[in-house]
Amino acid sequence: IVDWYNYEHYHSGLGLLTPAMVHHGQAHQTQTQRQQVLATAYQIHPERFVQGQPTIAPLPISVWINPPPASDRGEG
């Protein structure tokens, strides 16, 4: 189940990426590719996008399951 969670499950809190993608530095490449696909789809069928040109979800600055105290993160 750990492999599934880290390598197959796309997390909404990670911009619909897997933890492995983020950890191994593949997030920006994947997001760039997704944005290109969305831009192409919008150019071909703009009528399908009633809210305008679609954009990908931004990556969070940090994600924690059990955050350390703020003082350990340099926040205070």
Side-chain angles (χ1 to χ4, degrees), residues 10-76:
Y10 292 85
H11 297 256
S12 61
L14 296 176
L16 295 176
L17 300 168
T18 67
M21 289 172 155
V22 176
H23 179 74
H24 295 294
Q26 300 167 334
H28 292 291
Q29 178 184 359
T30 301
Q31 286 192 310
T32 299
Q33 290 172 343
R34 286 180 180 176
Q35 188 60 55
Q36 290 172 348
V37 169
L38 288 173
T40 300
Y42 182 76
Q43 288 176 346
I44 295 170
H45 295 285
E47 70 279 3
R48 293 184 180 179
F49 301 90
V50 295
Q51 296 181 359
Q53 187 156 355
T55 58
I56 56 172
L59 282 176
I61 294 171
S62 64
V63 177
W64 300 96
I65 293 173
N66 296 309
S71 59
D72 290 350
R73 296 191 310 249
E75 298 176 6

